[in-house]
Amino acid sequence: MTVLVTGGGGFIGANVASRLLAAGHEVRILDDLSRPGARLNIDWLRDELGADSFDLHKTDLRDREGVAAAVAGCDVVYHLGAQVAVTTSVEDPMTDFEVNALGTLNVLESIRDAGEDPVVIYSSTNKVYGEVRSEVREEATRYELVDLPLGVPEDHPLQLRTPYGCSKGLADQYVVDYHHTFGLRTVVFRQSCIYGPRQFGHEDQGWVAWMLRAAQQGMPIRIYGDGKQVRDVLYVDELVDVYQAAVERIDSVQGQVFNIGGGPSHRMSIWAEFGPMLESLLGREIPVEYHDWRPGDQKVYFSDVRKAAHLLGWAPAVSPREGLTRLRDWIEAQAPQWA
């Protein structure tokens, strides 16, 4: 197949591209290479799979003509490119909107103009749910959703908060609607906390990789809030698995939305529970600083993954401890590139 990966220089995109290339597909990557680590990921793909293994379209999602050129003739489009940080969206809402909302519309309209019928996989976010509508109970090391013990389902009301939540939520709804209105074969994944190799985490995005990297390299770790806020974590290989399951079963799942994360079995609080695991993994105490809560930070979010299990035959299997160990080893191997 001919496959386009927007944001293919990013963490998830590079992992998707690697899997596709290894399977023998013709891969195009669209990325403006502005995100830290993107050039390193592109270089890694070329080193691992050959200098001519894929076509790189160094294009911004806001460039309609560039997007159209990349989309033409594709069998599958993985639309993963985005502005990914809540903090950046608060600082610059206009760019956030243009990249996430208008950029997604450029992808969809380019597909429609081409008159072709590719599968479209869209990477959305749990942030479209805002503050989850459930009673929240505080316990010793975490917050709990009293009304949603299995996590947040796909029919939970959307509540767009922060410019990032608005831009991603708008794009999410356009992707769903382009199936219903125009017949595009789209699937939306509202993703929780994805982590793993090729993630050059920073404080504003990619908290698992950031905290592990900071702890290994002696950089300060700031906890915003009390550290009891809960997320479900998912190792990146398992996200790629569920993407591919959707492509393979597109006739039965087109137009669907899936909440994807580690689910109830892979949830943890971001410091009260993650911190001791990290200290155990590194064999030492890790100091942290506490700061005020940040805008749009959910006290609890974890995904109800039963729909993906039922329709896609998928369930997370890599434990947080195992995945964190793999990520630790990768970061150690990358140390010279972080300097």
Side-chain angles (χ1 to χ4, degrees):
M1 293 189 298
T2 299
V3 183
L4 172 65
V5 183
T6 74
F11 154 52
I12 295 173
N15 279 280
V16 170
S18 176
R19 180 83 66 88
L20 294 168
L21 288 165
H25 298 297
E26 180 182 327
V27 175
R28 302 173 187 171
I29 289 175
L30 184 150
D31 201 303
D32 67 1
L33 304 182
S34 62
R35 181 76 180 166
R39 292 183 184 277
L40 292 175
N41 283 338
I42 293 296
D43 290 344
W44 169 74
L45 287 169
R46 294 205 187 283
D47 290 344
E48 289 291 310
L49 297 153
D52 300 320
S53 58
F54 59 91
D55 293 328
L56 175 63
H57 294 247
K58 189 176 180 297
T59 303
D60 192 300
L61 285 167
R62 293 169 288 183
D63 178 356
R64 176 67 180 275
E65 291 184 0
V67 170
V71 161
C74 286
D75 300 296
V76 183
V77 175
Y78 291 89
H79 180 33
L80 315 179
Q83 190 298 109
V84 296
V86 172
T87 51
T88 302
S89 80
V90 172
E91 294 166 1
D92 186 0
M94 184 62 75
T95 297
D96 176 79
F97 169 83
E98 291 173 349
V99 173
N100 290 347
L102 181 59
T104 297
L105 198 56
N106 280 340
V107 171
L108 295 170
E109 281 291 279
S110 294
I111 291 169
R112 209 161 67 88
D113 288 348
E116 295 159 349
D117 191 28
V119 175
V120 182
I121 302 296
Y122 179 60
S123 172
S124 186
T125 172
N126 64 52
K127 292 296 189 288
V128 300
Y129 295 113
E131 193 65 36
V132 175
R133 297 183 185 181
S134 169
E135 179 186 347
V136 174
R137 181 176 64 241
E138 182 177 359
E139 298 190 349
T141 61
R142 64 167 62 174
Y143 293 102
E144 292 280 12
L145 295 176
V146 175
D147 306 313
L148 297 168
L150 295 177
V152 178
E154 290 82 0
D155 60 359
H156 194 77
L158 302 186
Q159 186 177 173
L160 307 183
R161 295 290 185 270
T162 75
Y164 174 76
C166 290
S167 66
K168 291 292 287 186
L170 180 58
D172 173 313
Q173 293 299 283
Y174 264 108
V175 174
V176 172
D177 181 71
Y178 266 56
H179 167 73
H180 295 292
T181 300
F182 301 114
L184 268 63
R185 296 188 294 164
T186 64
V187 182
V188 169
F189 289 98
R190 293 175 182 157
Q191 296 164 193
S192 195
C193 298
I194 315 300
Y195 71 101
R198 313 313 314 170
Q199 186 174 31
F200 295 87
H202 293 267
E203 186 179 62
D204 63 349
Q205 198 272 336
W207 66 272
V208 173
W210 162 249
M211 289 186 184
L212 179 50
R213 173 193 168 199
Q216 285 178 293
Q217 299 181 358
M219 294 183 284
I221 297 176
R222 288 179 280 264
I223 305 299
Y224 296 91
D226 57 14
K228 291 184 180 182
Q229 52 265 55
V230 169
R231 303 290 183 268
D232 56 328
V233 298
L234 182 69
Y235 192 70
V236 66
D237 287 354
E238 301 194 291
L239 178 66
V240 182
D241 290 342
V242 78
Y243 284 172
Q244 295 195 316
V247 173
E248 292 165 2
R249 303 188 186 195
I250 191 61
D251 288 345
S252 61
V253 300
Q254 57 186 302
Q256 297 287 330
V257 173
F258 294 93
N259 287 352
I260 293 296
S265 64
H266 289 53
R267 61 181 159 154
M268 64 178 70
S269 58
I270 68 167
W271 191 253
E273 294 172 349
F274 178 74
M277 182 183 295
L278 188 56
E279 290 177 335
S280 173
L281 192 68
L282 299 182
R284 56 184 171 79
E285 186 176 348
I286 300 169
V288 297
E289 305 168 1
Y290 285 88
H291 294 262
D292 291 340
W293 291 80
R294 294 185 292 193
D297 194 6
Q298 301 148 311
K299 280 192 173 179
V300 192
Y301 180 89
F302 61 98
S303 308
D304 182 338
V305 295
R306 290 177 295 173
K307 182 178 178 181
H310 177 63
L311 295 181
L312 297 173
W314 174 92
V318 177
S319 71
R321 177 81 185 201
E322 179 183 351
L324 196 60
T325 301
R326 295 181 192 178
L327 180 56
R328 177 202 62 188
D329 294 344
W330 178 78
I331 290 176
E332 287 178 351
Q334 300 302 307
Q337 299 187 67
W338 296 100

